[in-house]
Amino acid sequence: MSLIRYNHRNALADVVGSAHGITTAALTDMLERGARCTKGMLKRSASTPFAFLDLPDDDKTLTAVHALVEQRKGTYDTVLVIGMGGSSLSALATDGALRINQRAERQPKLRMIDTTDPDAVSGALMGIDAQRTLAIAISKSGDTLETVAALALVCQWFEEAKCKLPRHLFVVSNPEGGFLNSFASRHGLIRVAMPKAVGGRFSALSAVGLLPAGLLGHDIDGLLAGAAELRDEMLKSSPSANAPLMNAAIHAALLRDCGKSVSVFMPYASALRSLGAWYIQLWAESLGKGRDAGGRPRACGQTPVLALGPEFQHSQLQLFLEGPNDKLFTMIEIERFRHALPLPADFPYADAGAPILAGKEMGSIIAAQLRGTEQALTEQGRPNVRLTVERLDAKTLGALYMFFELQTAYAAHLLDVNAFDQPAVERGKALTREILDKP
Amino acid sequence: MSLIRYNHRNALADVVGSAHGITTAALTDMLERGARCTKGMLKRSASTPFAFLDLPDDDKTLTAVHALVEQRKGTYDTVLVIGMGGSSLSALATDGALRINQRAERQPKLRMIDTTDPDAVSGALMGIDAQRTLAIAISKSGDTLETVAALALVCQWFEEAKCKLPRHLFVVSNPEGGFLNSFASRHGLIRVAMPKAVGGRFSALSAVGLLPAGLLGHDIDGLLAGAAELRDEMLKSSPSANAPLMNAAIHAALLRDCGKSVSVFMPYASALRSLGAWYIQLWAESLGKGRDAGGRPRACGQTPVLALGPEFQHSQLQLFLEGPNDKLFTMIEIERFRHALPLPADFPYADAGAPILAGKEMGSIIAAQLRGTEQALTEQGRPNVRLTVERLDAKTLGALYMFFELQTAYAAHLLDVNAFDQPAVERGKALTREILDKP
């Protein structure tokens, strides 16, 4: 059985109407174009934009991370990641998904500096012991302004605690060039390279995601195995059995033809909150472009929105059901949670108008909520698709990363934009520098 | 000086063009209609939908909360809130904004059950001492399915730890009717009423928000004082000096005339992350309606999106600057953070290509990022407004709550929808119950 099951029935024109669902003709057209993209993926070389597909096979990085984990075992309680966007979101997403009840465990904990908010940065360093902290500075270019500023503060913090940097600080960056590399050389720090051809938002399965995850005690072998399995199965499938391509086709067609300008990422699992933040960058930055792949001006993009299962039913569902029909929903279902959590038998559920709760487990309530929301959306002609994983573990998480990365690469191809650049971001950075430079 | 300063220059047609900014004619029209709404607000009675405006004057609730805080002082380390949506988001928002570096303090900590995810619910009860926990079950109707299920589990957890419920459990609900009230009577629990006329998403300044905040040690007097001050100043101002009305007018006009279907809430302060989640419910549920105020079918609504200052520059800015021009940005600026956080002098900033960092404080970097983003958005014809508060404290937080509640009430009036109902949500609940009821 596949690691991820996919159901797109509620996105079909036959089900939600042709103004809101994908027609057979549009789907056929999209899948044919997608098949050409699959060819490029299968023929990829290390220098193509599809290099992210090779990350699960990078045994060298896996071995290096395992060696560092083995070498430092028992010497730290906290892993402190310094990085922005693509350099931080996958560490958060993996830790969020795989950590089982953070509070009760002895596993090292994750702290993050992913902002210049002075209170947040101070907070990240507060209450932890520098002697028992391993920091990782991550930046693809090696020159990210915020990362440099945070690194300066963290180095000062280590020095004040009389910690030697090489014992407490790793660097993840491009194999050559950039300040992080020269800083690492000067101080004798251990470096783990990220492949040059892979951009930040596609780097979850590179050293960027693996080094923090490994140091935090997560199963990085499982992560890579799940990603490889999903990739291999999908790329050799027929277009209509290639679920990331199908989901890309539906997103691209409904954006182009039906005005679905918003992609709602709706996991029914609190542990996937940070995966949602990761998805938001992947989708926003890859498709949000001012020019098509040929360089002609055209504003493209779909706004990703995170809506966390039961919580957001109580905050956004009114808008989703009755507001403008401009959204496409991707529901994520976990079939089995780690805790079954049966409700106590001796509670007056009937008095509460909820006799249906008697004898239930929490897991069946959240499942019913997902199905109820799905059905309500469909009745209102709101297109929605569902991804189902049996349980949330390293293997299925790896598969989810690969699923959405493939989906994004396909969607960019179908929408005719470059998935792998981010030209506009430079302008904001330049203006920030100008403003900082004023007296 | 006002608690909140407002700048709407970058939303004007003169600045970003008439395809993307508000024209003088549209603004004049909107402000005239808003002035009629102000009259209704000034003439409000306890039964009108504007009852939320009276919450800052509810001395009875304030006194009750102070008495409970005084009475239970020193008997608990954890406040456990059980509630969904409007019953949980303001507790999270207030604690997030006012807690200064959670990790290092002795202040009681907040735990939340706001989901049916079995792993999240188990996690909420893990590693805390039932004997040192005060729980608050919150539901306006008193019958919310998820709250009943969680309450059953929490009561079992207290009983297993031999805790007497009246010492450990409070109830916040409508003054009469509903299961929570009868349950409280039966077990002799202390109840704090929330006013009948105020809906969940407008209840941050009622017992729903105040009881958790008070028990957590936050300055609830300041919260109410700030809200009252902002309200009084704005309602007696001329329409063009009434900033919540101005922001509502800009949102309503740009949604109606310029296709700005997305409202981006963009605080440059990590402490306002949960206020963003609160804003999302307020905006989505109040404006997302399938009928106008007269009952005629018309899909209305604007999708709220949270984008947290520096973090999201690295994940969504590419989309914001070059993607479809369908967004209106509300930036929130904090002028002074609690920590100045000067960067160390002896770091090789110049080698990092960032000599501008030398001698800087983190607070000036985040300020420059906000201004840089604002300028980049404006150059690209993307309308944006800015709210500035001098510092983030209880008084300014209270003012922010009142600002966005006023803005929402005005926007609903200008868009001709009922801000205070949520008819669609019932359908999803009914379907969930049906599905749970199947064998």
Side-chain angles (χ1 to χ4, degrees), chain A residues 248-261:
Chain A
I250 289 167
H251 277 74
L254 297 190
L255 170 62
R256 187 192 63 184
D257 304 336
C258 304
K260 304 304 173 223
S261 57

Side-chain angles (χ1 to χ4, degrees), chain A residues 116-117 146 270 369 379 427, chain B residues 116-117 146 270 369 379:
Chain A
T116 50
D117 177 320
E146 296 91 334
S270 303
Q369 290 180 304
E379 285 176 1
R427 181 65 185 145
Chain B
T116 50
D117 177 320
E146 295 91 334
S270 303
Q369 289 180 305
E379 285 176 1

Side-chain angles (χ1 to χ4, degrees), chain A residues 101 103 116-117 119 123 146 270 281 288 290 303 314 318 322 327 339 344 353 356 369 379 424 427 433 437, chain B residues 101 103 116-117 119 123 146 156 270 281 288 290 303 314 318 322 327 339 353 356 369 379 424 427 433 437:
Chain A
N101 295 315
R103 290 136 181 163
T116 50
D117 177 320
D119 296 342
E146 296 91 334
S270 303
Q281 174 180 28
T303 301
H314 286 260
Q318 169 65 34
E322 289 200 348
K327 297 175 183 69
H339 301 84
I356 43 168
Q369 290 180 304
E379 285 176 1
R427 181 65 185 145
R433 282 172 180 259
D437 213 17
Chain B
N101 295 316
R103 291 138 181 162
T116 50
D117 177 320
D119 296 342
E146 295 91 334
Q156 175 181 262
S270 303
Q281 174 181 30
T303 302
H314 287 261
Q318 169 65 33
E322 289 201 347
K327 298 176 183 67
H339 300 85
I356 43 168
Q369 289 180 305
E379 285 176 1
R427 181 64 186 145
R433 282 172 179 259
D437 213 15

Side-chain angles (χ1 to χ4, degrees), chain A residues 103, chain B residues 77-82 88-96 99 102 107-113 124 128 134 136 212-213 216 218 274:
Chain A
R103 290 136 181 163
Chain B
D77 312 315
T78 302
V79 175
L80 174 68
V81 171
I82 308 165
S88 62
L89 290 168
S90 61
L92 283 167
T94 299
D95 193 57
R99 185 179 292 272
Q102 195 139 3
Q107 223 180 326
K109 59 185 177 295
L110 174 63
R111 289 279 176 96
M112 183 67 62
I113 302 184
I128 58 173
L134 254 185
I136 316 174
L216 289 163
H218 299 304
S274 294

Side-chain angles (χ1 to χ4, degrees), chain A residues 106-126:
Chain A
R106 308 225 149 193
Q107 223 180 327
K109 59 185 177 295
L110 174 63
R111 288 278 177 96
M112 183 66 62
I113 302 183
D114 56 357
T115 180
T116 50
D117 177 320
D119 296 342
V121 174
S122 302
L125 298 178
M126 209 162 277

